[in-house]
Amino acid sequence: MGFGHILLVRPFHVDVPYLEALRERWEEDCKAFIMPWGHMIPTLEDVAYLTGLPVQGEPVVGQERSDYYDDIVELLGPEFVAGRRRPIRSILLGSLSEAVGLRGRRRGPLESLDELCTGVRGALDLGDRSEERSIRIFVSYLFERLLFATQSSQMNCKFVLLLRDLAQAGRYAWGAAKLGHLFSLLPSSSRGSQSTRGFTPFLQIWGYTRFPMGRGTVVEGRQTMVPLMGRWEVAPDPRVTDRRAGDVRVALDHYPHEQVVWTPYQGEADASHPAVVTGRPLFDRHLLLLCLGTCEVLYLELVVRTLGWHQPAIEVPSLRREGHSRRQFFAEDRDWGADHGSTFAYWREGGE
């Protein structure tokens, strides 16, 4: 289904001050981080190399339903709606955690990440459900806890509909949807919030590869591991445990411009990265990133130096603003792809 590579990545510590200082530099008008040396934007090339998630394929759009009750009963099981009134538009994350055997499973104060990982693998239990239902429950859990994480205690039921046909689910551009989802949440994350929403492990390692000044290091012996996120280790260094976001802000302000890495994947063999092989035709395209009812613009023209090209000066106000979001619930069922056919077609045609 396209998630095998990301599940190989070993857990690592979240570098909270680094992420906090980074998200403060997000500029919504141009969908970019404003750095002292210019604009920087995570691209589909970054997603393919770092996560191994597919960036080429069917857009992740679907139907908006006024009530998902029958779909949840059919696809996940009646226990997810037991005792709840209709209409059902979300699933409690606690019920997903319970279904995979991980409810209440937290890292102990003296527990290492390796011990946590071993404990989670041992606790993971999907019971005697059918194979297809078990897969849907686990992938739903993966979505809401990691790839499409929010600060909500509930999961959007629209994701579940995309898992009805598991063969079709393997043809979606999950990596592109993940990037669009992250873009849509960064504005709210950067305004007074205490945490960054979206797939933050990706954002953290992306920053390390471009301007390595965080707590991460590439581990000896993992230089050929795929995806590239799996090569990193983020340990709580005793010298930086007291570091604050303010310290990172200052470090970013004074980071040597000549040390910024614009093309970090030179020397990587495409053949060892399946998502890169299939996604490369999109790496130099202006695109709209689709994730359910959200559409975000990838302004690649601001960071063409990541392709090894000359970077022209571009006035941000001259950028087009094609992005739009549709997050409200509807009183009747609606097909997002049908309502926004031109946007849907733009993705399928590969942008421009």
Side-chain angles (χ1 to χ4, degrees):
M1 293 171 65
F3 307 119
H5 282 103
I6 195 66
L7 290 172
L8 294 175
V9 176
R10 296 171 65 84
F12 53 79
H13 292 279
V14 177
D15 194 339
V16 176
Y18 186 83
L19 286 169
E20 185 177 338
L22 185 60
R23 75 184 184 195
E24 290 172 355
R25 292 177 174 271
W26 180 258
E27 176 55 56
E28 175 64 5
D29 282 346
C30 55
K31 307 289 182 183
F33 294 103
I34 308 299
M35 311 303 286
W37 51 85
H39 298 87
M40 297 201 83
I41 303 174
T43 67
L44 293 183
E45 182 180 30
D46 295 309
V47 174
Y49 272 111
L50 293 178
T51 72
L53 291 169
V55 297
Q56 172 75 283
E58 289 296 305
V60 178
V61 297
Q63 289 190 328
E64 303 265 5
R65 292 209 196 285
S66 56
D67 184 8
Y68 295 86
Y69 184 99
D70 294 334
D71 300 295
I72 297 304
V73 170
E74 174 193 354
L75 300 176
L76 300 185
E79 64 270 27
F80 289 92
V81 295
R84 298 185 61 192
R85 289 184 176 183
R86 304 182 75 152
I88 299 293
R89 291 168 174 162
S90 62
I91 303 172
L92 296 175
L93 279 183
S95 63
L96 280 172
S97 300
E98 186 171 343
V100 298
L102 298 178
R103 185 165 190 138
R105 182 70 175 90
R106 295 182 178 276
R107 184 183 175 200
L110 301 178
E111 191 175 27
S112 69
L113 283 181
D114 284 341
E115 290 169 339
L116 171 67
C117 191
T118 300
V120 167
R121 289 182 184 277
L124 190 65
D125 180 12
L126 286 150
D128 57 358
R129 298 179 176 89
S130 69
E131 183 178 19
E132 285 199 352
R133 184 167 284 182
S134 295
I135 291 173
R136 291 192 189 101
I137 291 171
F138 177 76
V139 173
S140 297
Y141 182 81
L142 176 70
F143 282 173
E144 285 304 305
R145 288 296 190 194
L146 190 66
L147 297 184
F148 302 101
T150 67
Q151 292 174 322
S152 172
S153 61
Q154 302 186 45
M155 172 189 169
N156 192 322
C157 288
K158 288 182 285 188
F159 279 115
V160 179
L161 296 187
L162 297 171
L163 302 176
R164 181 183 298 278
D165 183 343
L166 294 180
Q168 171 64 23
R171 293 191 282 269
Y172 285 120
W174 294 113
K178 187 260 329 162
L179 189 60
H181 183 262
L182 179 65
F183 283 8
S184 73
L185 294 179
L186 274 170
S188 56
S189 294
S190 61
R191 290 195 296 267
S193 173
Q194 294 303 307
S195 62
T196 304
R197 299 183 292 170
F199 188 26
T200 53
F202 161 76
L203 188 60
Q204 180 173 319
I205 301 300
W206 170 80
Y208 288 172
T209 63
R210 301 292 184 168
F211 33 97
M213 50 167 288
R215 301 178 184 176
T217 55
V218 176
V219 179
E220 188 72 27
R222 294 194 202 168
Q223 289 88 342
T224 60
M225 188 174 290
V226 176
L228 268 62
M229 279 181 66
R231 303 178 185 181
W232 288 81
E233 185 174 82
V234 187
D237 187 333
R239 295 168 297 177
V240 294
T241 49
D242 293 331
R243 184 175 64 163
R244 298 290 182 264
D247 301 326
V248 183
R249 293 187 199 106
V250 172
L252 284 174
D253 287 339
H254 296 89
Y255 193 82
H257 296 195
E258 67 277 6
Q259 292 184 19
V260 176
V261 183
W262 291 101
T263 53
Y265 312 118
Q266 288 184 341
E268 289 289 335
D270 281 8
S272 61
H273 299 271
V276 173
V277 173
T278 58
R280 185 163 291 285
L282 297 180
F283 291 172
D284 62 353
R285 311 291 285 180
H286 174 98
L287 291 163
L288 301 178
L289 305 173
L290 310 179
C291 181
L292 299 179
T294 301
C295 170
E296 297 289 339
V297 191
L298 178 58
Y299 285 122
L300 194 65
E301 53 265 49
L302 290 175
V303 289
V304 295
R305 73 183 84 186
T306 62
L307 301 170
W309 301 349
H310 168 69
Q311 180 67 59
I314 294 178
E315 291 293 328
V316 171
S318 69
L319 295 171
R320 292 161 295 171
R321 304 182 111 192
E322 307 101 319
H324 49 269
S325 298
R326 296 288 183 271
R327 297 191 183 90
Q328 71 271 27
F329 291 113
F330 298 108
E332 57 186 18
D333 294 355
R334 295 180 61 170
D335 188 324
W336 196 95
D339 288 352
H340 301 277
S342 60
T343 304
F344 193 89
Y346 190 79
W347 168 264
R348 285 193 155 175
E349 292 163 6
E352 58 185 311

PDB file of all heavy atoms in Angstrom, residues 318-342:
ATOM      1  N   SER A 318       3.351  38.459  -6.479  1.00  0.00           N
ATOM      2  CA  SER A 318       2.963  38.089  -7.844  1.00  0.00           C
ATOM      3  C   SER A 318       2.571  36.623  -7.958  1.00  0.00           C
ATOM      4  O   SER A 318       2.084  36.191  -8.996  1.00  0.00           O
ATOM      5  CB  SER A 318       4.122  38.372  -8.809  1.00  0.00           C
ATOM      6  OG  SER A 318       5.201  37.472  -8.584  1.00  0.00           O
ATOM      7  N   LEU A 319       2.798  35.856  -6.901  1.00  0.00           N
ATOM      8  CA  LEU A 319       2.432  34.447  -6.951  1.00  0.00           C
ATOM      9  C   LEU A 319       0.918  34.287  -7.007  1.00  0.00           C
ATOM     10  O   LEU A 319       0.169  35.006  -6.371  1.00  0.00           O
ATOM     11  CB  LEU A 319       2.978  33.713  -5.717  1.00  0.00           C
ATOM     12  CG  LEU A 319       4.501  33.629  -5.591  1.00  0.00           C
ATOM     13  CD1 LEU A 319       4.869  33.080  -4.224  1.00  0.00           C
ATOM     14  CD2 LEU A 319       5.084  32.750  -6.680  1.00  0.00           C
ATOM     15  N   ARG A 320       0.510  33.301  -7.777  1.00  0.00           N
ATOM     16  CA  ARG A 320      -0.930  33.016  -7.828  1.00  0.00           C
ATOM     17  C   ARG A 320      -1.373  32.339  -6.530  1.00  0.00           C
ATOM     18  O   ARG A 320      -0.564  31.745  -5.838  1.00  0.00           O
ATOM     19  CB  ARG A 320      -1.226  32.097  -9.016  1.00  0.00           C
ATOM     20  CG  ARG A 320      -1.006  32.764 -10.358  1.00  0.00           C
ATOM     21  CD  ARG A 320      -0.862  31.732 -11.444  1.00  0.00           C
ATOM     22  NE  ARG A 320       0.344  30.919 -11.237  1.00  0.00           N
ATOM     23  CZ  ARG A 320       0.612  29.842 -11.946  1.00  0.00           C
ATOM     24  NH1 ARG A 320      -0.226  29.429 -12.865  1.00  0.00           N
ATOM     25  NH2 ARG A 320       1.711  29.145 -11.706  1.00  0.00           N
ATOM     26  N   ARG A 321      -2.637  32.386  -6.248  1.00  0.00           N
ATOM     27  CA  ARG A 321      -3.135  31.787  -5.005  1.00  0.00           C
ATOM     28  C   ARG A 321      -4.255  30.818  -5.345  1.00  0.00           C
ATOM     29  O   ARG A 321      -5.421  31.097  -5.135  1.00  0.00           O
ATOM     30  CB  ARG A 321      -3.622  32.876  -4.036  1.00  0.00           C
ATOM     31  CG  ARG A 321      -2.560  33.902  -3.716  1.00  0.00           C
ATOM     32  CD  ARG A 321      -3.078  34.907  -2.727  1.00  0.00           C
ATOM     33  NE  ARG A 321      -2.415  34.747  -1.459  1.00  0.00           N
ATOM     34  CZ  ARG A 321      -2.814  35.330  -0.337  1.00  0.00           C
ATOM     35  NH1 ARG A 321      -3.887  36.078  -0.345  1.00  0.00           N
ATOM     36  NH2 ARG A 321      -2.166  35.169   0.784  1.00  0.00           N
ATOM     37  N   GLU A 322      -3.850  29.644  -5.877  1.00  0.00           N
ATOM     38  CA  GLU A 322      -4.858  28.661  -6.277  1.00  0.00           C
ATOM     39  C   GLU A 322      -5.382  27.842  -5.105  1.00  0.00           C
ATOM     40  O   GLU A 322      -6.376  27.164  -5.226  1.00  0.00           O
ATOM     41  CB  GLU A 322      -4.268  27.686  -7.312  1.00  0.00           C
ATOM     42  CG  GLU A 322      -3.639  28.359  -8.516  1.00  0.00           C
ATOM     43  CD  GLU A 322      -2.132  28.401  -8.389  1.00  0.00           C
ATOM     44  OE1 GLU A 322      -1.633  28.677  -7.278  1.00  0.00           O
ATOM     45  OE2 GLU A 322      -1.444  28.157  -9.378  1.00  0.00           O
ATOM     46  N   GLY A 323      -4.674  27.865  -3.999  1.00  0.00           N
ATOM     47  CA  GLY A 323      -5.036  26.985  -2.892  1.00  0.00           C
ATOM     48  C   GLY A 323      -6.378  27.321  -2.274  1.00  0.00           C
ATOM     49  O   GLY A 323      -6.778  28.470  -2.205  1.00  0.00           O
ATOM     50  N   HIS A 324      -7.070  26.307  -1.843  1.00  0.00           N
ATOM     51  CA  HIS A 324      -8.323  26.518  -1.130  1.00  0.00           C
ATOM     52  C   HIS A 324      -8.600  25.298  -0.269  1.00  0.00           C
ATOM     53  O   HIS A 324      -8.132  24.210  -0.561  1.00  0.00           O
ATOM     54  CB  HIS A 324      -9.483  26.750  -2.102  1.00  0.00           C
ATOM     55  CG  HIS A 324      -9.572  25.746  -3.203  1.00  0.00           C
ATOM     56  ND1 HIS A 324      -8.939  25.919  -4.412  1.00  0.00           N
ATOM     57  CD2 HIS A 324     -10.186  24.546  -3.274  1.00  0.00           C
ATOM     58  CE1 HIS A 324      -9.193  24.873  -5.200  1.00  0.00           C
ATOM     59  NE2 HIS A 324      -9.930  24.024  -4.527  1.00  0.00           N
ATOM     60  N   SER A 325      -9.339  25.494   0.798  1.00  0.00           N
ATOM     61  CA  SER A 325      -9.644  24.394   1.706  1.00  0.00           C
ATOM     62  C   SER A 325     -11.148  24.251   1.854  1.00  0.00           C
ATOM     63  O   SER A 325     -11.887  25.229   1.798  1.00  0.00           O
ATOM     64  CB  SER A 325      -9.008  24.642   3.082  1.00  0.00           C
ATOM     65  OG  SER A 325      -7.607  24.701   2.973  1.00  0.00           O
ATOM     66  N   ARG A 326     -11.559  23.032   2.032  1.00  0.00           N
ATOM     67  CA  ARG A 326     -12.971  22.744   2.298  1.00  0.00           C
ATOM     68  C   ARG A 326     -13.001  21.794   3.482  1.00  0.00           C
ATOM     69  O   ARG A 326     -12.862  20.590   3.330  1.00  0.00           O
ATOM     70  CB  ARG A 326     -13.643  22.094   1.085  1.00  0.00           C
ATOM     71  CG  ARG A 326     -13.709  23.001  -0.140  1.00  0.00           C
ATOM     72  CD  ARG A 326     -14.723  24.124   0.045  1.00  0.00           C
ATOM     73  NE  ARG A 326     -14.824  24.949  -1.146  1.00  0.00           N
ATOM     74  CZ  ARG A 326     -14.086  26.003  -1.392  1.00  0.00           C
ATOM     75  NH1 ARG A 326     -13.164  26.358  -0.527  1.00  0.00           N
ATOM     76  NH2 ARG A 326     -14.249  26.710  -2.483  1.00  0.00           N
ATOM     77  N   ARG A 327     -13.161  22.356   4.687  1.00  0.00           N
ATOM     78  CA  ARG A 327     -13.088  21.499   5.869  1.00  0.00           C
ATOM     79  C   ARG A 327     -14.437  21.358   6.584  1.00  0.00           C
ATOM     80  O   ARG A 327     -14.534  20.673   7.554  1.00  0.00           O
ATOM     81  CB  ARG A 327     -12.041  22.056   6.856  1.00  0.00           C
ATOM     82  CG  ARG A 327     -10.622  22.061   6.301  1.00  0.00           C
ATOM     83  CD  ARG A 327      -9.625  22.361   7.385  1.00  0.00           C
ATOM     84  NE  ARG A 327      -8.262  22.434   6.883  1.00  0.00           N
ATOM     85  CZ  ARG A 327      -7.693  23.536   6.446  1.00  0.00           C
ATOM     86  NH1 ARG A 327      -8.363  24.677   6.441  1.00  0.00           N
ATOM     87  NH2 ARG A 327      -6.460  23.531   5.997  1.00  0.00           N
ATOM     88  N   GLN A 328     -15.446  22.070   6.104  1.00  0.00           N
ATOM     89  CA  GLN A 328     -16.715  22.014   6.810  1.00  0.00           C
ATOM     90  C   GLN A 328     -17.456  20.718   6.497  1.00  0.00           C
ATOM     91  O   GLN A 328     -17.181  20.063   5.511  1.00  0.00           O
ATOM     92  CB  GLN A 328     -17.610  23.212   6.438  1.00  0.00           C
ATOM     93  CG  GLN A 328     -18.184  23.172   5.024  1.00  0.00           C
ATOM     94  CD  GLN A 328     -17.281  23.826   4.010  1.00  0.00           C
ATOM     95  OE1 GLN A 328     -16.087  23.880   4.192  1.00  0.00           O
ATOM     96  NE2 GLN A 328     -17.865  24.320   2.940  1.00  0.00           N
ATOM     97  N   PHE A 329     -18.409  20.374   7.350  1.00  0.00           N
ATOM     98  CA  PHE A 329     -19.253  19.211   7.090  1.00  0.00           C
ATOM     99  C   PHE A 329     -20.466  19.641   6.271  1.00  0.00           C
ATOM    100  O   PHE A 329     -20.936  20.772   6.372  1.00  0.00           O
ATOM    101  CB  PHE A 329     -19.723  18.573   8.404  1.00  0.00           C
ATOM    102  CG  PHE A 329     -18.624  17.924   9.176  1.00  0.00           C
ATOM    103  CD1 PHE A 329     -18.216  18.430  10.396  1.00  0.00           C
ATOM    104  CD2 PHE A 329     -17.985  16.799   8.685  1.00  0.00           C
ATOM    105  CE1 PHE A 329     -17.193  17.838  11.113  1.00  0.00           C
ATOM    106  CE2 PHE A 329     -16.964  16.192   9.391  1.00  0.00           C
ATOM    107  CZ  PHE A 329     -16.581  16.709  10.616  1.00  0.00           C
ATOM    108  N   PHE A 330     -20.954  18.714   5.459  1.00  0.00           N
ATOM    109  CA  PHE A 330     -22.082  19.028   4.582  1.00  0.00           C
ATOM    110  C   PHE A 330     -23.338  18.315   5.062  1.00  0.00           C
ATOM    111  O   PHE A 330     -23.269  17.252   5.674  1.00  0.00           O
ATOM    112  CB  PHE A 330     -21.770  18.611   3.145  1.00  0.00           C
ATOM    113  CG  PHE A 330     -20.601  19.343   2.553  1.00  0.00           C
ATOM    114  CD1 PHE A 330     -19.392  18.699   2.349  1.00  0.00           C
ATOM    115  CD2 PHE A 330     -20.705  20.683   2.217  1.00  0.00           C
ATOM    116  CE1 PHE A 330     -18.314  19.367   1.806  1.00  0.00           C
ATOM    117  CE2 PHE A 330     -19.630  21.361   1.678  1.00  0.00           C
ATOM    118  CZ  PHE A 330     -18.440  20.700   1.462  1.00  0.00           C
ATOM    119  N   ALA A 331     -24.469  18.885   4.737  1.00  0.00           N
ATOM    120  CA  ALA A 331     -25.737  18.283   5.121  1.00  0.00           C
ATOM    121  C   ALA A 331     -26.088  17.118   4.207  1.00  0.00           C
ATOM    122  O   ALA A 331     -26.971  16.325   4.508  1.00  0.00           O
ATOM    123  CB  ALA A 331     -26.848  19.333   5.072  1.00  0.00           C
ATOM    124  N   GLU A 332     -25.408  17.024   3.067  1.00  0.00           N
ATOM    125  CA  GLU A 332     -25.663  15.934   2.137  1.00  0.00           C
ATOM    126  C   GLU A 332     -24.325  15.420   1.604  1.00  0.00           C
ATOM    127  O   GLU A 332     -23.302  16.098   1.702  1.00  0.00           O
ATOM    128  CB  GLU A 332     -26.540  16.402   0.981  1.00  0.00           C
ATOM    129  CG  GLU A 332     -25.947  17.577   0.226  1.00  0.00           C
ATOM    130  CD  GLU A 332     -26.890  18.128  -0.838  1.00  0.00           C
ATOM    131  OE1 GLU A 332     -28.092  17.842  -0.754  1.00  0.00           O
ATOM    132  OE2 GLU A 332     -26.398  18.824  -1.724  1.00  0.00           O
ATOM    133  N   ASP A 333     -24.342  14.203   1.044  1.00  0.00           N
ATOM    134  CA  ASP A 333     -23.108  13.632   0.518  1.00  0.00           C
ATOM    135  C   ASP A 333     -22.627  14.431  -0.687  1.00  0.00           C
ATOM    136  O   ASP A 333     -23.421  14.836  -1.538  1.00  0.00           O
ATOM    137  CB  ASP A 333     -23.342  12.178   0.104  1.00  0.00           C
ATOM    138  CG  ASP A 333     -23.655  11.291   1.297  1.00  0.00           C
ATOM    139  OD1 ASP A 333     -23.596  11.801   2.428  1.00  0.00           O
ATOM    140  OD2 ASP A 333     -23.973  10.113   1.091  1.00  0.00           O
ATOM    141  N   ARG A 334     -21.296  14.663  -0.746  1.00  0.00           N
ATOM    142  CA  ARG A 334     -20.720  15.386  -1.873  1.00  0.00           C
ATOM    143  C   ARG A 334     -19.409  14.730  -2.275  1.00  0.00           C
ATOM    144  O   ARG A 334     -18.686  14.207  -1.448  1.00  0.00           O
ATOM    145  CB  ARG A 334     -20.471  16.856  -1.514  1.00  0.00           C
ATOM    146  CG  ARG A 334     -21.739  17.636  -1.226  1.00  0.00           C
ATOM    147  CD  ARG A 334     -21.436  19.073  -0.872  1.00  0.00           C
ATOM    148  NE  ARG A 334     -20.761  19.776  -1.961  1.00  0.00           N
ATOM    149  CZ  ARG A 334     -20.568  21.097  -1.956  1.00  0.00           C
ATOM    150  NH1 ARG A 334     -20.982  21.819  -0.936  1.00  0.00           N
ATOM    151  NH2 ARG A 334     -19.944  21.675  -2.958  1.00  0.00           N
ATOM    152  N   ASP A 335     -19.117  14.777  -3.563  1.00  0.00           N
ATOM    153  CA  ASP A 335     -17.885  14.228  -4.103  1.00  0.00           C
ATOM    154  C   ASP A 335     -16.935  15.390  -4.365  1.00  0.00           C
ATOM    155  O   ASP A 335     -17.167  16.207  -5.254  1.00  0.00           O
ATOM    156  CB  ASP A 335     -18.166  13.457  -5.396  1.00  0.00           C
ATOM    157  CG  ASP A 335     -16.937  12.704  -5.892  1.00  0.00           C
ATOM    158  OD1 ASP A 335     -15.819  13.234  -5.737  1.00  0.00           O
ATOM    159  OD2 ASP A 335     -17.097  11.604  -6.433  1.00  0.00           O
ATOM    160  N   TRP A 336     -15.847  15.473  -3.573  1.00  0.00           N
ATOM    161  CA  TRP A 336     -14.923  16.596  -3.696  1.00  0.00           C
ATOM    162  C   TRP A 336     -14.305  16.645  -5.081  1.00  0.00           C
ATOM    163  O   TRP A 336     -14.141  17.708  -5.676  1.00  0.00           O
ATOM    164  CB  TRP A 336     -13.826  16.473  -2.636  1.00  0.00           C
ATOM    165  CG  TRP A 336     -13.056  17.738  -2.403  1.00  0.00           C
ATOM    166  CD1 TRP A 336     -13.295  18.666  -1.451  1.00  0.00           C
ATOM    167  CD2 TRP A 336     -11.921  18.201  -3.145  1.00  0.00           C
ATOM    168  NE1 TRP A 336     -12.372  19.690  -1.550  1.00  0.00           N
ATOM    169  CE2 TRP A 336     -11.528  19.433  -2.573  1.00  0.00           C
ATOM    170  CE3 TRP A 336     -11.200  17.702  -4.228  1.00  0.00           C
ATOM    171  CZ2 TRP A 336     -10.438  20.161  -3.060  1.00  0.00           C
ATOM    172  CZ3 TRP A 336     -10.123  18.433  -4.710  1.00  0.00           C
ATOM    173  CH2 TRP A 336      -9.755  19.638  -4.127  1.00  0.00           C
ATOM    174  N   GLY A 337     -13.937  15.480  -5.641  1.00  0.00           N
ATOM    175  CA  GLY A 337     -13.321  15.436  -6.966  1.00  0.00           C
ATOM    176  C   GLY A 337     -14.241  15.971  -8.040  1.00  0.00           C
ATOM    177  O   GLY A 337     -13.810  16.654  -8.975  1.00  0.00           O
ATOM    178  N   ALA A 338     -15.543  15.676  -7.923  1.00  0.00           N
ATOM    179  CA  ALA A 338     -16.498  16.166  -8.916  1.00  0.00           C
ATOM    180  C   ALA A 338     -16.726  17.664  -8.763  1.00  0.00           C
ATOM    181  O   ALA A 338     -16.877  18.395  -9.752  1.00  0.00           O
ATOM    182  CB  ALA A 338     -17.823  15.413  -8.774  1.00  0.00           C
ATOM    183  N   ASP A 339     -16.731  18.156  -7.526  1.00  0.00           N
ATOM    184  CA  ASP A 339     -16.965  19.581  -7.293  1.00  0.00           C
ATOM    185  C   ASP A 339     -15.789  20.436  -7.757  1.00  0.00           C
ATOM    186  O   ASP A 339     -15.956  21.617  -8.068  1.00  0.00           O
ATOM    187  CB  ASP A 339     -17.204  19.844  -5.796  1.00  0.00           C
ATOM    188  CG  ASP A 339     -18.552  19.330  -5.333  1.00  0.00           C
ATOM    189  OD1 ASP A 339     -19.344  18.922  -6.202  1.00  0.00           O
ATOM    190  OD2 ASP A 339     -18.803  19.324  -4.117  1.00  0.00           O
ATOM    191  N   HIS A 340     -14.587  19.873  -7.760  1.00  0.00           N
ATOM    192  CA  HIS A 340     -13.385  20.628  -8.131  1.00  0.00           C
ATOM    193  C   HIS A 340     -12.642  19.871  -9.227  1.00  0.00           C
ATOM    194  O   HIS A 340     -11.463  19.539  -9.102  1.00  0.00           O
ATOM    195  CB  HIS A 340     -12.485  20.830  -6.907  1.00  0.00           C
ATOM    196  CG  HIS A 340     -13.155  21.560  -5.790  1.00  0.00           C
ATOM    197  ND1 HIS A 340     -13.241  22.924  -5.737  1.00  0.00           N
ATOM    198  CD2 HIS A 340     -13.805  21.101  -4.686  1.00  0.00           C
ATOM    199  CE1 HIS A 340     -13.900  23.281  -4.653  1.00  0.00           C
ATOM    200  NE2 HIS A 340     -14.252  22.190  -3.996  1.00  0.00           N
ATOM    201  N   GLY A 341     -13.353  19.629 -10.318  1.00  0.00           N
ATOM    202  CA  GLY A 341     -12.808  18.828 -11.412  1.00  0.00           C
ATOM    203  C   GLY A 341     -11.541  19.385 -12.021  1.00  0.00           C
ATOM    204  O   GLY A 341     -10.626  18.637 -12.369  1.00  0.00           O
ATOM    205  N   SER A 342     -11.445  20.715 -12.146  1.00  0.00           N
ATOM    206  CA  SER A 342     -10.262  21.305 -12.778  1.00  0.00           C
ATOM    207  C   SER A 342      -9.015  21.108 -11.907  1.00  0.00           C
ATOM    208  O   SER A 342      -7.915  20.850 -12.414  1.00  0.00           O
ATOM    209  CB  SER A 342     -10.487  22.794 -13.041  1.00  0.00           C
ATOM    210  OG  SER A 342     -10.733  23.489 -11.819  1.00  0.00           O
TER     211      SER A 342
END
